[in-house]
Amino acid sequence: MMSNITLGRYIPNNTFFHRLDPRCKLLLLFIFMITIFINLGMIGYIVLGLVVLLCFILSKISILTIFKSLKPMWFMMIFIFVINLFVVKTGTPWHLGKITIYSNAIFATLKIVYRLFLLISTSTIFTATTKPLDITIAIEDLFAFLKPIMNVHILSMMISIALRFIPTILEETNRIMKAQASRGVDFVHGKLKEKAKAITSLIIPLFVSAFARSDELANAMEARSYNPYAQRTRYRKLHWQFKDSLILILSIVLLAGFITLAITGFAKTWNTSIFEWIKGWFK
Amino acid sequence: MDAIKFENVTFGYHNQTPIIENLNLEIKKGKYTVLLGHNGSGKSTIAKLAIGLLECQDGNIFIDGIELNEKNLNQIRSKVAIVFQNPDNQFIGSTVRDDMAFGLENKCVDPNLMDAMIEEYAKKVNMHEFLDTEPTNLSGGQKQRVALAGVLAMQPDILILDEATSMLDPIGKKEIFDVIQELKVKRSEMTILSITHHIEEALFADEIIILNNGKVVKVGLPNDLLYDQNLLNQNALEAPFIIQLEEKLKQANIPFEPTLDVKELVKQL
């Protein structure tokens, strides 16, 4: 059960990406997300794909991990494709028996799937190369400008505690499942309704214990004179290096380039006529 | 002056019948006191009252002569440290290092000094080899030792152990107990209050307080209280192993000098 979770798991290593400042990596992720949702056109997407490929090589994450993390996408892909079949009615119509499929439906689907693929891969690279604790510190630092409006420290403390308790709660889940199974609850067989009923016998004790746990945790924190609104120092320090600035500037330049291309319409010519473009290859 | 003093303290959850009524309690400074009581005798409530996690409905609580109230809560908490029962639910950091740093961060210790302090106190509880380990990979006893190191690093005057060993296996219990023994020897100025139903911990106490139904039944030395079979029975406590053994020896008419030290008894026999 625990081994199935690959998305968002830290993989200890000491690569170039592991050594980058988490703040830099978080900013890169933001920049990348923006870039993905710009209408880039064929060349843009290829360049972006190459960048992601380079990141993968640099972070030394095994191909298997990536494919595992892409598992939930297959369902999405089929779902999007089916929707597109009914919505998109442009491009060259292809007749398959009684059904008519338009070429743009396929291309639109491919485009969305490709974007999702890039998005998931980059997030995987980010979480696989950054310790959860470092992510929370990076969030706290980057959102420090929000301090007058809200207490950013509370947010990062909540995230880090949530991350800290994931394995503990999973362990607890396993224990409750075993305890309930030994009392005759069947989690595996039966109809959906019966399964749902069985799950309640897991969820209710789990919630009860989680609340008791959080109560005790709050006591322990308070007893160690924790006060989120008071002045406190921070043990973990992040070190911004020259390479972080360099990488960040490079990616900002890349983003600016893509935006310019999108605005000038250069990308559009490539984009609207992907089909023509491919057809051109065969002429 | 007493390290902890309860004066006519009354407390009950949600206005139900009070768990503690008119309790008077004195914990002597620099001593190792054991508060004994069976489950539901109000032991843990006393710990929570002393550190200000609960507020008493009536009476006064003094820590080092300072009356506990909302204004000086921070001051009190810098004096009193507590280790709770459940090792999992007091591990806040994602590694041993971070967990120990948590208390120091709250005390606004300079981050540059933290590493040295963490090393020092981790060594005291013999956890210095596990500084970068995550809590999932630690045993209950190890986690509890980290909790102990974490609060010791805050350099409290008073250390409260609230059933700190009750969820541990025998080995984990012994590990914690050894650390406490060592503390008792090395840092005599620190007051240690151990709240427990595990009577073996009381053998080496400077003072034992027996609690039942939120009332102090008896205060005394281990030598006086632990041999009193009637007193222990009335308070649902069982005599420590060594004393049970000595009873049997007496019945068998084997001559020996009564002692609370197992090694000493073995030597005699």
Side-chain angles (χ1 to χ4, degrees):
Chain A
M1 193 175 161
M2 287 174 224
S3 57
N4 288 344
I5 304 160
T6 50
L7 191 70
R9 196 200 249 177
Y10 176 66
I11 303 168
N13 207 333
N14 190 23
T15 65
F16 173 75
F17 256 90
H18 285 79
R19 286 190 302 264
L20 272 185
D21 191 293
R23 283 169 295 186
C24 173
K25 279 186 270 188
L26 195 60
L27 284 174
L28 287 183
L29 190 66
F30 280 136
I31 291 172
F32 206 90
M33 281 177 171
I34 298 164
T35 320
I36 286 172
F37 287 101
I38 297 171
N39 203 347
L40 288 177
M42 203 63 181
I43 287 186
Y45 283 125
I46 290 171
V47 171
L48 217 53
L50 287 175
V51 170
V52 174
L53 194 69
L54 186 73
C55 293
F56 265 124
I57 294 165
L58 281 175
S59 61
K60 287 188 185 155
I61 301 167
S62 80
I63 296 291
L64 209 69
T65 319
I66 301 152
F67 277 107
K68 266 189 196 161
S69 67
L70 289 176
K71 235 190 230 166
M73 251 184 61
W74 293 113
F75 174 74
M76 282 276 274
M77 198 174 131
I78 294 163
F79 183 75
I80 294 166
F81 182 62
V82 171
I83 297 276
N84 272 344
L85 276 189
F86 293 108
V87 176
V88 182
K89 299 272 186 213
T90 53
T92 319
W94 289 325
H95 299 285
L96 294 173
K98 281 178 190 170
I99 319 159
T100 314
I101 299 173
Y102 292 89
S103 63
N104 278 5
I106 293 171
F107 286 120
T109 312
L110 279 178
K111 212 160 91 182
I112 293 170
V113 169
Y114 185 65
R115 279 171 165 177
L116 275 175
F117 166 77
L118 291 181
L119 204 62
I120 292 176
S121 330
T122 37
S123 321
T124 308
I125 294 173
F126 175 63
T127 50
T129 59
T130 318
K131 282 185 198 143
L133 182 76
D134 287 342
I135 299 178
T136 56
I137 296 176
I139 290 173
E140 192 177 339
D141 274 9
L142 286 178
F143 288 90
F145 67 91
L146 284 176
K147 253 177 197 158
I149 320 166
M150 62 180 284
N151 195 328
V152 189
H153 162 73
I154 291 182
L155 183 74
S156 86
M157 182 52 90
M158 280 197 303
I159 299 171
S160 73
I161 286 177
L163 290 170
R164 144 77 186 93
F165 275 91
I166 288 172
T168 313
I169 302 271
L170 275 178
E171 216 171 276
E172 178 107 53
T173 313
N174 266 341
R175 202 167 55 229
I176 295 172
M177 270 179 108
K178 278 179 194 152
Q180 297 291 40
S182 76
R183 287 168 177 79
V185 177
D186 190 352
F187 290 107
V188 188
H189 303 100
K191 288 175 196 146
L192 195 67
K193 202 179 159 192
E194 286 160 3
K195 267 190 191 165
K197 230 177 175 179
I199 289 289
T200 48
S201 73
L202 169 68
I203 286 177
I204 290 170
L206 195 62
F207 264 82
V208 170
S209 98
F211 277 111
R213 224 176 249 290
S214 61
D215 193 35
E216 276 184 39
L217 185 73
N219 274 344
M221 288 172 78
E222 218 180 301
R224 285 210 237 165
S225 38
Y226 175 66
N227 180 358
Y229 300 99
Q231 178 75 38
R232 59 199 298 277
T233 49
R234 204 173 64 192
Y235 173 57
R236 294 276 176 187
K237 285 254 151 63
L238 302 174
H239 302 283
W240 188 273
Q241 284 163 311
F242 175 68
K243 64 179 176 197
D244 297 309
S245 310
L246 195 73
I247 292 275
L248 194 63
I249 289 168
L250 263 176
S251 38
I252 289 172
V253 167
L254 198 68
L255 173 67
F258 278 135
I259 291 176
T260 334
L261 287 182
I263 290 171
T264 52
F266 173 75
K268 223 175 247 166
T269 52
W270 286 104
N271 195 46
T272 46
S273 55
I274 300 166
F275 189 60
E276 312 297 323
W277 184 70
I278 292 171
K279 264 207 303 203
W281 275 86
F282 294 101
K283 263 179 188 168
Chain B
M1 192 170 46
D2 298 311
I4 302 174
K5 190 175 180 187
F6 278 48
E7 244 178 34
N8 295 320
V9 171
T10 300
F11 175 83
Y13 287 101
H14 310 301
N15 302 323
Q16 287 166 356
T17 36
I19 302 168
I20 291 173
E21 224 173 340
N22 288 323
L23 179 79
N24 288 295
L25 193 72
E26 279 145 22
I27 310 291
K28 294 198 181 73
K29 208 168 184 168
K31 300 279 184 206
Y32 175 41
T33 309
V34 172
L35 193 67
L36 275 177
H38 63 84
N39 292 335
S41 58
K43 298 178 307 230
S44 287
T45 312
I46 289 178
K48 282 182 188 153
L49 284 167
I51 200 162
L53 287 173
L54 296 174
E55 201 181 340
C56 58
Q57 275 115 14
D58 206 10
N60 297 311
I61 297 166
F62 297 92
I63 307 291
D64 262 350
I66 306 163
E67 193 188 337
L68 180 72
N69 57 37
E70 243 171 75
K71 276 177 211 146
N72 58 25
L73 208 55
N74 282 333
Q75 196 192 345
I76 297 289
R77 282 185 185 154
S78 66
K79 282 177 179 293
V80 190
I82 185 164
V83 177
F84 289 101
Q85 180 176 15
N86 192 323
D88 255 324
N89 297 354
Q90 51 186 322
F91 205 109
I92 295 140
S94 52
T95 64
V96 172
R97 210 180 266 287
D98 291 294
D99 188 60
M100 288 181 63
F102 177 76
L104 299 175
E105 289 175 332
N106 294 338
K107 275 191 86 181
C108 288
V109 174
D110 180 2
N112 299 322
L113 302 174
M114 282 185 190
D115 267 321
M117 287 174 86
I118 289 170
E119 293 269 338
E120 182 192 339
Y121 284 94
K123 251 183 202 143
K124 279 197 175 152
V125 298
N126 228 343
M127 284 297 290
H128 53 282
E129 281 165 28
F130 298 91
L131 278 178
D132 291 309
T133 315
E134 286 167 25
T136 358
N137 303 323
L138 294 174
S139 72
Q142 287 173 326
K143 273 181 236 179
Q144 210 63 336
R145 276 188 283 158
V146 173
L148 193 57
V151 297
L152 286 179
M154 295 172 78
Q155 295 165 333
D157 298 324
I158 303 163
L159 174 67
I160 303 177
L161 303 159
D162 182 8
E163 302 252 19
T165 59
S166 68
M167 280 180 77
L168 305 180
D169 53 19
I171 297 169
K173 270 195 179 111
K174 197 177 171 315
E175 286 169 352
I176 292 285
F177 195 62
D178 287 347
V179 174
I180 294 167
Q181 287 285 94
E182 208 170 304
L183 278 177
K184 205 188 122 190
V185 179
K186 277 190 188 159
R187 281 203 62 175
S188 53
E189 76 270 27
M190 185 162 67
T191 311
I192 305 174
L193 171 63
S194 179
I195 297 174
T196 183
H197 63 260
H198 184 64
I199 201 156
E200 308 285 336
E201 279 180 36
L203 281 173
F204 301 101
D206 294 322
E207 189 169 70
I208 296 177
I209 299 172
I210 294 180
L211 203 73
N212 200 356
N213 290 326
K215 289 222 161 62
V216 174
V217 179
K218 193 125 189 179
V219 182
L221 295 169
N223 263 328
D224 301 332
L225 297 192
L226 297 179
Y227 285 101
D228 191 342
Q229 201 62 51
N230 270 340
L231 177 76
L232 294 181
N233 281 345
Q234 274 162 21
N235 297 294
L237 295 165
E238 201 178 314
F241 171 72
I242 182 165
I243 287 168
Q244 287 184 25
L245 181 69
E246 285 177 7
E247 290 292 320
K248 291 268 153 65
L249 287 172
K250 247 183 227 166
Q251 282 166 18
N253 280 326
I254 297 168
F256 70 98
E257 274 296 308
T259 172
L260 291 178
D261 192 341
V262 180
K263 278 181 196 153
E264 176 69 31
L265 187 68
V266 170
K267 213 195 269 173
Q268 285 187 40
L269 295 174

